[in-house]
Structure formats: structure tokens, C-alpha cells
């Protein structure tokens, strides 16, 4: 039987994990529980966030804690706590040495300083592990709720990784993609932690490493959500549970426009103003032609009528679009029917450049599209993305006079990031916008 020392928080997620591991026939667990909640620590946290995030973030966060939805989950401890601690100091070091565990797990506790991480890894080389309620490295820190906030449902899951001095940056041992549609919003973290505990047991006992999500990904850290951010997450979660397929809705919208002969060629592809399209096209053309790539093979994802083939006539051009109206009407151009999640190319590393002009504002699962694009892109290839930027708080404040006009509903939906809602505004779906992290 393996001896597992758990440096644990005292929240419901940590308790749930500890219960599960306590009932394992393969593990002997010792729980050291962190109990550092105090007015002093809360004040220190808020002052730090005031400096890094600003006063509006702090107010929004406090409102959420005072008046936001409260989880009703309560889980009784089935295990005994060996001892409690407030900080990672010499007393913890002594306890770890005294227990001499085979493995160490950190679960639901506060961020561990570099010195303590180094000490733990020295005590149990290669056997100090953390479990995380999200898919790393894309969603580090507070994981799944931010994936839901961004509408990135293809990146919901859980991760088991080695403890590292960075937050959730250690080597991934196992991960698992999860479907939360049968759960309430307040249950998703508990479920993710429990699934991670099962992966952890399999790794410790059998040496099994199960990695479902192996795509390269940008490493991004997320802190706690404010009240308004959590409201966006809860609304997106409801859309997710109701199986709203925003990709299909956009496809229907483009098909309908493409059949409307009262619209210009650009408007049939969803562009509002013809003049802005030509300006954008010239910028993209100049960018591509400035790249020092010889014998360029280019893929245009979401190509519409394939107009870039004419603009880039010195390139080997291939395009794909999810509207059959465009692909069937333009058979003289090298384009085919496909969506961004399955581009229709069996061979990896096929293209020097992948162009996505006006694509990402119409996607329900942008990360899934990125992974597919990455698959067909050659090493050191180039991806060019033209999409819509999310308005800042200041820009939304400037737009506030529109709240009393006919466009008020649109401004509200942009402000609330209500992009997965299939309800149209003035006959059109609301295009998605992205912040810098996304």
C-alpha cells in the first residue's frame, strides 16, 4: 500500500477528493489541512488585486462574494485530519519529514512558494503531484469556469501534473476531457476534482498515464471570477446544457444571406460594409506577400467565395467553407466544403500559411479549430487571423448612450458577452468578440 501525504485545503472539492482517496484500498492517506482564512489574509488579497486589477475589479469581486449565488454543496469528511497549518513554513517541513511518505499530493490549498516546492520535490523526487480542475496549460489557476466563460466547451476537463514552482505548469501526467451537461454549475469543480483523483490513483498504483488532450496550447493563468464574469459563465453554461449549436446557426445564417440577391457579394458573406472589406483584404494581402516563404501553399479557412485566390494569384491556394452555397457556386476555384473543426485533409503539416479572415467571430469552439489548424500547418508555418476585438470597459462606457436607442439590446449583449445565444438581433446573430487572453 502506497503512503500518500495530502497537503489539502478545506473546501468541498478538497474534501471530496480526500474522501475518495481515503476509501481506496490501494492508498494510505495522511491529511495535513490548510486553514488560513482570516480577515488579514482577505485584506491582503484585495489590496494585491487592487494594485493589479483595479478598483472596478475589486468592487465586482466583493459584490459576487456578498450577493452572488452560493453553492449549497456540503460534503462530510470521512477521514481524519492529522494536523492543520496556516502557512507553508518549517513546521510543515518537519511534518513531511516525520511522515516520510511515498507520494505527496497538493489539493485545493493556496499557492505554494518556490522554497516549499523545492523542499517537497527533494523529499519525494518525481512523486509530488497536484490536481487541477481544468485542462492545462490553456486554463491554469481557476480552470473550467473560465473555459465556460469563453465558450470553449471543448477544453473542459481535469489534469494531474507534477508540482512545479509555477502555478499549474508542471509536467502533465494525465488529463481527461469532461462533459458537464448533466451537472449543475456549482457541481462542476467537485466532479472535475473527483475525476482527477481517479486518474491520480491509477497513476500511483498502476503507473497509468492517460492523456486525452495532447494539443499544443498557449499557457494562460486565470484568477478568480468577479460577479459579472461568473454571471457570463452561468449563462454560457445554460446554453451548453441546452445543446445550442451556434455553429449550425451561423451556417444557416450564411446560407440564407448567400441566397439573397438584394445583397452585394460581400454582404452575402456576412460583411456589413463593402469598403471596409477591401481595406482589410489589402492589409492581409500585403502581410502575406511580405513573408519570406518560397513556394507558398496557403489554406483559406472560411473562404466564402474564394476571393483571396484572385488576390494571391502567385500562391498555391486552397480554400474551405461551411456553406455549400459558396463551395457549389464557385467550382472553378480550388475550394471545398468543410468546417473549421475538420478541414478535410488527412495529411498533417501540409500548409505554409493558414488564413482565417472573419472566421473566429462565428465559431462556437475556437480552440478545437485552432488545434485542427495547427495539425495541417507546417512547422514554423504562419497563421493569420482577422477577427473582432472585445470592447474594453471604457469603450462600453462610451457606447452607453446607445442603451436608450434601438441598438441598446446589441450593446447589452456585447457587454455581457452573450455570444452563444442563437436569438438574432435585427435578423442577424451577434458576432463573437475576443479579449487579449483569448
Amino acid at each position: 500500500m502506497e503512503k500518500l501525504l495530502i497537503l489539502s485545503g478545506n473546501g468541498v472539492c478538497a474534501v471530496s477528493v480526500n474522501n475518495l482517496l481515503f476509501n481506496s484500498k490501494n492508498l494510505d492517506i495522511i491529511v495535513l489541512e490548510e486553514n488560513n482564512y482570516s480577515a488579514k489574509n482577505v485584506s491582503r488579497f484585495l489590496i494585491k488585486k487592487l494594485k493589479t486589477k483595479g478598483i472596478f475589479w475589486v468592487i465586482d469581486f466583493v459584490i459576487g462574494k456578498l450577493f452572488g449565488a452560493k453553492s449549497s454543496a456540503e460534503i462530510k469528511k470521512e477521514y481524519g485530519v492529522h494536523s492543520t497549518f496556516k502557512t507553508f513554513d518549517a513546521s510543515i517541513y518537519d511534518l513531511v519529514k516525520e511522515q516520510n511518505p511515498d507520494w505527496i499530493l497538493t489539493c485545493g490549498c493556496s499557492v505554494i512558494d518556490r522554497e516549499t516546492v523545492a523542499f517537497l520535490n527533494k523529499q519525494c523526487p518525481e512523486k509530488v503531484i497536484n490536481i487541477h480542475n481544468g485542462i492545462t496549460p490553456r486554463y491554469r489557476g481557476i480552470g473550467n469556469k473560465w473555459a465556460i466563460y469563453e465558450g470553449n466547451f471543448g477544453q473542459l476537463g481535469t489534469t494531474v501534473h507534477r508540482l512545479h514552482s509555477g502555478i499549474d505548469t508542471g509536467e502533465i501526467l494525465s488529463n481527461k476531457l469532461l462533459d458537464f451537461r448533466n451537472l449543475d454549475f456549482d457541481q462542476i469543480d467537485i466532479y472535475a476534482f473527483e475525476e482527477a483523483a481517479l486518474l491520480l490513483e491509477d497513476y500511483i498504483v498502476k503507473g497509468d498515464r492517460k492523456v486525452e488532450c495532447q494539443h499544443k496550447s498557449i499557457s494562460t493563468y486565470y484568477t478568480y471570477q468577479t460577479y459579472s464574469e461568473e454571471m457570463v459563465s452561468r449563462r454560457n453554461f445554460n446554453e451548453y446544457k441546452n445543446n445550442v449549436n451556434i455553429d449550425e446557426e451561423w451556417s444557416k445564417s450564411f446560407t440564407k444571406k448567400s441566397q439573397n440577391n438584394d445583397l452585394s457579394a460581400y454582404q452575402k458573406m456576412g460583411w456589413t460594409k463593402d469598403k471596409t472589406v477591401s481595406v482589410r483584404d489589402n492589409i492581409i494581402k500585403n502581410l502575406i506577400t511580405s513573408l519570406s516563404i518560397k513556394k507558398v501553399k496557403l489554406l483559406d479557412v472560411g473562404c466564402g467565395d474564394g476571393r483571396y485566390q484572385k488576390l494571391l494569384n502567385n500562391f498555391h491556394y486552397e480554400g474551405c467553407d461551411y456553406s455549400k452555397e459558396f463551395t457549389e457556386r464557385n467550382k472553378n476555384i480550388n475550394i471545398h466544403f468543410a468546417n473549421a473543426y475538420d478541414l478535410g485533409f488527412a495529411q498533417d503539416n501540409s500548409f505554409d500559411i493558414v488564413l482565417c479572415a472573419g472566421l473566429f467571430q462565428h465559431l462556437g469552439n475556437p480552440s478545437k479549430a485552432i488545434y485542427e489548424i495547427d495539425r495541417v500547418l507546417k512547422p514554423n508555418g504562419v497563421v493569420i487571423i482577422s477577427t473582432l476585438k472585445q470592447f474594453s470597459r471604457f469603450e462600453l462606457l462610451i457606447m452607453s448612450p446607445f442603451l436608450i436607442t434601438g441598438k441598446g439590446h446589441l450593446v447589452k449583449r456585447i457587454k455581457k458577452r452573450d455570444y452563444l445565444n442563437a436569438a438574432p438581433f435585427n435578423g442577424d446573430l451577434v458576432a463573437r468578440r475576443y479579449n487579449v487572453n483569448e
Side-chain angles (χ1 to χ4, degrees):
M1 183 174 289
E2 298 289 307
K3 188 175 184 180
L4 174 65
L5 177 69
I6 304 176
L7 299 176
S8 172
N10 59 3
V12 291
C13 294
V15 173
S16 180
V17 166
N18 296 342
N19 282 345
L20 194 153
L21 296 175
F22 172 75
N23 288 303
S24 168
K25 296 179 180 179
N26 302 303
L27 300 172
D28 176 23
I29 75 165
I30 304 98
V31 178
L32 306 182
E33 186 176 271
E34 182 181 30
N35 190 356
N36 68 346
Y37 185 83
S38 67
K40 183 179 179 180
N41 285 342
V42 171
S43 299
R44 186 180 297 151
F45 170 81
L46 293 177
I47 291 171
K48 179 181 178 181
K49 291 301 180 184
L50 181 64
K51 293 177 180 178
T52 58
K53 293 285 189 177
I55 185 63
F56 291 112
W57 188 96
V58 172
I59 292 172
D60 201 355
F61 178 79
V62 171
I63 289 173
K65 291 300 177 184
L66 294 177
F67 307 109
K70 301 294 190 298
S71 174
S72 58
E74 290 185 16
I75 300 176
K76 185 179 178 180
K77 295 175 184 176
E78 300 173 13
Y79 56 92
V81 175
H82 182 277
S83 60
T84 62
F85 64 96
K86 290 187 177 181
T87 59
F88 293 97
D89 55 19
S91 62
I92 286 294
Y93 296 1
D94 292 338
L95 285 168
V96 172
K97 290 178 181 177
E98 174 188 316
Q99 293 300 322
N100 191 29
D102 300 307
W103 300 81
I104 298 174
L105 170 66
T106 61
C107 175
C109 54
S110 58
V111 176
I112 302 176
D113 61 87
R114 290 176 179 269
E115 182 181 346
T116 303
V117 171
F119 165 78
L120 296 174
N121 280 311
K122 185 177 180 181
Q123 290 299 119
C124 290
E126 303 294 314
K127 292 185 175 183
V128 185
I129 298 174
N130 181 61
I131 57 178
H132 173 64
N133 61 330
I135 295 294
T136 65
R138 178 62 182 87
Y139 290 99
R140 296 165 38 235
I142 308 299
N144 286 317
K145 289 182 179 177
W146 281 106
I148 293 170
Y149 174 88
E150 294 178 356
N152 199 354
F153 304 122
Q155 286 279 282
L156 297 176
T158 194
T159 304
V160 177
H161 62 87
R162 298 193 198 282
L163 186 66
H164 185 263
S165 56
I167 299 175
D168 300 323
T169 56
E171 177 192 357
I172 296 171
L173 302 173
S174 294
N175 64 26
K176 185 177 182 180
L177 297 173
L178 300 175
D179 188 334
F180 296 135
R181 278 174 286 196
N182 292 325
L183 302 174
D184 292 331
F185 183 80
D186 294 320
Q187 296 174 316
I188 60 178
D189 284 342
I190 296 173
Y191 177 61
F193 269 98
E194 289 178 341
E195 288 295 310
L198 295 175
L199 292 174
L200 171 69
E201 183 179 7
D202 283 346
Y203 176 69
I204 291 176
V205 176
K206 305 175 185 177
D208 288 352
R209 296 181 67 164
K210 303 172 183 176
V211 180
E212 289 187 3
C213 188
Q214 304 185 56
H215 301 292
K216 292 180 288 184
S217 184
I218 295 171
S219 178
T220 312
Y221 170 75
Y222 293 83
T223 188
Y224 297 97
Q225 290 189 334
T226 63
Y227 174 73
S228 58
E229 289 164 343
E230 184 175 317
M231 291 302 101
V232 171
S233 297
R234 287 179 179 273
R235 186 195 60 243
N236 285 354
F237 187 71
N238 288 333
E239 299 285 357
Y240 163 69
K241 289 185 69 172
N242 292 332
N243 291 310
V244 174
N245 191 331
I246 199 67
D247 296 299
E248 289 296 332
E249 295 301 323
W250 275 112
S251 180
K252 292 176 185 176
S253 174
F254 281 117
T255 297
K256 184 177 179 180
K257 284 183 179 180
S258 68
Q259 296 169 344
N260 187 345
N261 292 325
D262 292 331
L263 300 178
S264 69
Y266 289 145
Q267 289 170 339
K268 287 182 177 182
M269 292 183 288
W271 300 106
T272 306
K273 298 178 181 178
D274 289 8
K275 290 183 179 180
T276 61
V277 179
S278 58
V279 171
R280 185 184 294 104
D281 284 353
N282 283 326
I283 292 173
I284 292 173
K285 177 184 176 181
N286 292 334
L287 176 60
I288 292 175
T289 53
S290 69
L291 297 173
S292 55
I293 305 175
K294 297 180 179 179
K295 298 181 180 179
V296 169
K297 189 176 180 182
L298 181 144
L299 174 64
D300 185 2
V301 184
C303 65
D305 61 4
R307 69 185 186 280
Y308 277 102
Q309 184 174 37
K310 296 179 182 178
L311 288 170
L312 303 167
N313 52 16
N314 293 325
F315 294 76
H316 174 88
Y317 175 94
E318 293 189 41
C320 62
D321 200 275
Y322 198 39
S323 173
K324 288 185 177 179
E325 291 292 324
F326 293 126
T327 58
E328 291 179 359
R329 286 183 185 180
N330 297 280
K331 292 183 178 180
N332 60 320
I333 297 176
N334 191 17
I335 61 177
H336 67 275
F337 176 74
N339 66 35
Y341 311 133
D342 183 0
L343 296 172
F345 299 98
Q347 185 175 348
D348 299 346
N349 308 322
S350 301
F351 294 92
D352 302 287
I353 299 174
V354 177
L355 172 63
C356 308
L359 169 73
F360 276 82
Q361 57 256 46
H362 307 128
L363 295 180
N365 192 340
S367 280
K368 187 176 180 181
I370 284 289
Y371 296 145
E372 176 67 354
I373 289 167
D374 180 61
R375 182 184 69 80
V376 301
L377 187 69
K378 291 180 180 179
N380 301 316
V382 177
V383 180
I384 298 175
I385 298 173
S386 170
T387 193
L388 298 176
K389 176 182 175 293
Q390 176 66 18
F391 293 113
S392 67
R393 291 175 184 267
F394 178 73
E395 288 169 327
L396 287 168
L397 182 64
I398 298 284
M399 294 167 63
S400 59
F402 286 109
L403 294 175
I404 59 175
T405 70
K407 294 186 178 180
H409 183 61
L410 176 61
V411 174
K412 286 180 180 178
R413 285 183 63 173
I414 293 173
K415 183 175 183 294
K416 293 180 178 180
R417 299 179 58 87
D418 192 8
Y419 300 136
L420 301 178
N421 188 339
F425 170 78
N426 284 350
D428 283 328
L429 297 171
V430 177
R432 182 174 184 150
R433 293 174 176 269
Y434 293 86
N435 61 35
V436 174
N437 275 344
E438 294 171 280

